[in-house]
Each structure stands twice: as structure tokens, then as C-alpha cells.
């Protein structure tokens, strides 16, 4: 194991040193964060931007993603990691239940995180999406990384993709199951919503709704419209509408 270079070996060295520094400690080893799927957080490496992905026949959005190499990747919400840390840190000083223990924190087991994301996205978007594997080399080449940086990141990505199991450690610590990818997207839909939509506009008074209203397609959702959304509020996609009277 000591021959493994880069990302894994650095973490291992830190973990091995902890008993020499602290008498009370626990180690949390989280899996890939669900938050990196948000383009504003994961960037071009991990972010999934459903608004700029290639569209096939205007029906299916094709997304090529480096993490698709592992369909069973049980990604975890950062809030669940924080809940675990809070539970341990607030435990009584004389409680040795967590002392020296190592927890591998993952989301729920999944047969395909890509299918889960596709199903959740179909609820908030009019078109479907399909996620296909993107090789590490192709991914890093597209980012134009220098060779030295590419080698380090390649080791990091290989480590992430190789992790194929899920655990119940979040539930062991907090008593609650971790959030699934579907729950994450539906509770945080803003990064995955369409940026274009049709808007019904009336520009003047008229004797009837039909006479006054016009439909304007390909409208952009302005940033301040996102910002005005409060907790408990949502955007509604109207598929069919009727007017009484």
C-alpha cells in the first residue's frame, strides 16, 4: 500500500499520524460528493450542465461523464457528512463509542446513479437525458491540463471510480438513511432546471384573454428570478392550461 502515490497515500499518512496527536478521534471517509454534479461546484470535470449538453433529435440530452465508468458509485450529500461529524463532535467526552473508529460514508446503494439522475431530471425538465461513459484520458485532454497535473488528477479519478461498495455508516451514526441522488436533485433542483422556457405575455388590455395573450418561446430565466425564489417556493412547468369564462 505504501507504493500507492498521490491522493490515497497522502490520506493514509494523515490517518496513521492521528493516534500520535489525539486521544479522541474518529475518521470519516466520504465518497464522492453529490454537490459536484452541480456545474457551479463540479465545474467541467464533474458538473452536469443539462442546458449545454449535446441534444439528439431534440429529445434526449446526451451527457458524457467520467464517473459513468462506475454505475454503482454511491455518491453522498455533504449535508449527511456534516450530520455525522456533528453527531460525533457533540458526543459526551466519556463516550468512547466513536473513539478511533473509521467510517466510510456513502449514499444508498444504487444499480445505476445515471439512471437515477435521468429519472429525477425528467421530473423537472421537458426532455430526457442519457449519461454515457467518458474515459479519463479523453476527459482530461478536453480540459487541456499540463502533463504533470494530468498524472495527479488521473490517479485521483481512478481512486474515485474504483470504489464500488456502499455502507450503512451514515445510518449507524445519525440514525437516518443518507440522501439518494434523486432526493438530492429534487431538493436542490435549481442547477438542473432549464434555462429557456416559454412565457405567456399580455402587452395591452383586450376584450378576451385569447386576444391579449401571446406566447414567447426561448425566454431566458433571469438570475434575479432564481434569486427571488424563497424556501418553500418552486417553479412550475405548465404543460396544458385552460381558462374558464
Amino acid at each position: 500500500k505504501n507504493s500507492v502515490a498521490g491522493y490515497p497515500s497522502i490520506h493514509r499518512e494523515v490517518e496513521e499520524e492521528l493516534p500520535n496527536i489525539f486521544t479522541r478521534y474518529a475518521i470519516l471517509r466520504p465518497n464522492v460528493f453529490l454537490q459536484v454534479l452541480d456545474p457551479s461546484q463540479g465545474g467541467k470535470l464533474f458538473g452536469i450542465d443539462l442546458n449545454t449538453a449535446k441534444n439528439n433529435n431534440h429529445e434526449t440530452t446526451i451527457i458524457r461523464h467520467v464517473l459513468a465508468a462506475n454505475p454503482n458509485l454511491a455518491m453522498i450529500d455533504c449535508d449527511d457528512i456534516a450530520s455525522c461529524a456533528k453527531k460525533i463532535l457533540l458526543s459526551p467526552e466519556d463516550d468512547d463509542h466513536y473513539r478511533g473508529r473509521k467510517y466510510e460514508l456513502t449514499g444508498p446503494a444504487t444499480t445505476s446513479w445515471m439512471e437515477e439522475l435521468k429519472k429525477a431530471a425528467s421530473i423537472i425538465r421537458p426532455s430526457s437525458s442519457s449519461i454515457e461513459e467518458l474515459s479519463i484520458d479523453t476527459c482530461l485532454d478536453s480540459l487541456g491540463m499540463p502533463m504533470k497535473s494530468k498524472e495527479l488528477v488521473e490517479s485521483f479519478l481512478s481512486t474515485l471510480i474504483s470504489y464500488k461498495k456502499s455502507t450503512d455508516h451514515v445510518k449507524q451514526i445519525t440514525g437516518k438513511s443518507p440522501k439518494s441522488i434523486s432526493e438530492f436533485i429534487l431538493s436542490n433542483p435549481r442547477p438542473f432546471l432549464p434555462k429557456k422556457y416559454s412565457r405567456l405575455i399580455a402587452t395591452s388590455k383586450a376584450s378576451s384573454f385569447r386576444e391579449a395573450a401571446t406566447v414567447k418561446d426561448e425566454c431566458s430565466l433571469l438570475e434575479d428570478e432564481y434569486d427571488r425564489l424563497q424556501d418553500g417556493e418552486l417553479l412550475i412547468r405548465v404543460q396544458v392550461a385552460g381558462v374558464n369564462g
Side-chain angles (χ1 to χ4, degrees):
K1 290 184 178 180
N2 291 331
S3 62
V4 179
Y7 166 77
S9 64
I10 294 172
H11 276 255
R12 188 173 299 112
E13 288 175 8
V14 172
E15 290 185 2
E16 291 174 349
E17 189 64 25
L18 282 175
N20 300 324
I21 304 173
F22 302 101
T23 57
R24 296 182 73 242
Y25 72 91
I27 295 173
L28 302 182
R29 296 172 174 169
N31 197 8
V32 181
F33 306 145
L34 280 169
Q35 275 73 8
V36 301
L37 300 180
D38 178 347
S40 68
Q41 304 297 319
K44 294 182 179 180
L45 182 60
F46 292 129
I48 294 180
D49 190 344
L50 298 176
N51 294 294
T52 60
K54 181 181 177 181
N55 195 271
N56 181 22
N57 296 326
H58 303 288
E59 295 180 356
T60 302
T61 300
I62 306 299
I63 302 160
R64 292 174 61 77
H65 201 278
V66 68
L67 296 181
N70 181 3
N72 305 121
L73 193 61
M75 290 179 268
I76 184 168
D77 192 321
C78 289
D79 287 345
D80 288 322
I81 301 170
S83 295
C84 291
K86 179 181 177 181
K87 182 74 173 181
I88 293 173
L89 291 171
L90 294 181
S91 62
E93 288 191 13
D94 58 353
D95 184 354
D96 290 337
H97 179 72
Y98 305 108
R99 187 190 295 270
R101 297 189 65 177
K102 299 176 183 178
Y103 297 95
E104 298 191 28
L105 306 182
T106 74
T110 178
T111 55
S112 174
W113 69 264
M114 298 94 77
E115 286 301 313
E116 278 197 53
L117 186 145
K118 176 181 177 180
K119 184 177 180 180
S122 68
I123 297 174
I124 60 175
R125 299 182 61 88
S127 60
S128 61
S129 58
S130 177
I131 301 177
E132 300 176 355
E133 180 180 346
L134 179 66
S135 71
I136 293 178
D137 280 343
T138 302
C139 175
L140 298 183
D141 285 343
S142 69
L143 298 176
M145 285 189 173
M147 182 58 67
K148 186 63 177 178
S149 298
K150 181 179 176 181
E151 291 174 356
L152 294 173
V153 176
E154 185 174 11
S155 172
F156 170 69
L157 291 176
S158 297
T159 300
L160 295 183
I161 293 171
S162 67
Y163 195 87
K164 298 184 181 296
K165 65 180 180 179
S166 61
T167 72
D168 64 350
H169 291 179
V170 171
K171 191 170 185 178
Q172 284 183 27
I173 297 171
T174 66
K176 298 179 181 179
S177 297
K179 191 178 293 182
S180 68
I181 189 169
S182 297
E183 291 169 330
F184 168 74
I185 290 176
L186 295 179
S187 64
N188 180 43
R190 186 176 298 186
F192 309 100
L193 288 171
K195 293 295 190 294
K196 301 285 186 178
Y197 64 104
S198 297
R199 173 170 271 176
L200 194 63
I201 300 174
T203 57
S204 62
K205 292 183 179 180
S207 59
S208 69
F209 180 86
R210 180 187 297 273
E211 184 180 334
T214 59
V215 176
K216 186 176 181 181
D217 294 320
E218 291 295 303
C219 294
S220 297
L221 191 60
L222 303 176
E223 284 302 321
D224 64 339
E225 292 181 290
Y226 276 121
D227 296 335
R228 287 201 299 269
L229 285 177
Q230 303 295 317
D231 290 342
E233 295 182 340
L234 69 159
L235 294 171
I236 298 176
R237 172 163 56 92
V238 179
Q239 293 178 295
V240 179
V243 179
N244 295 325

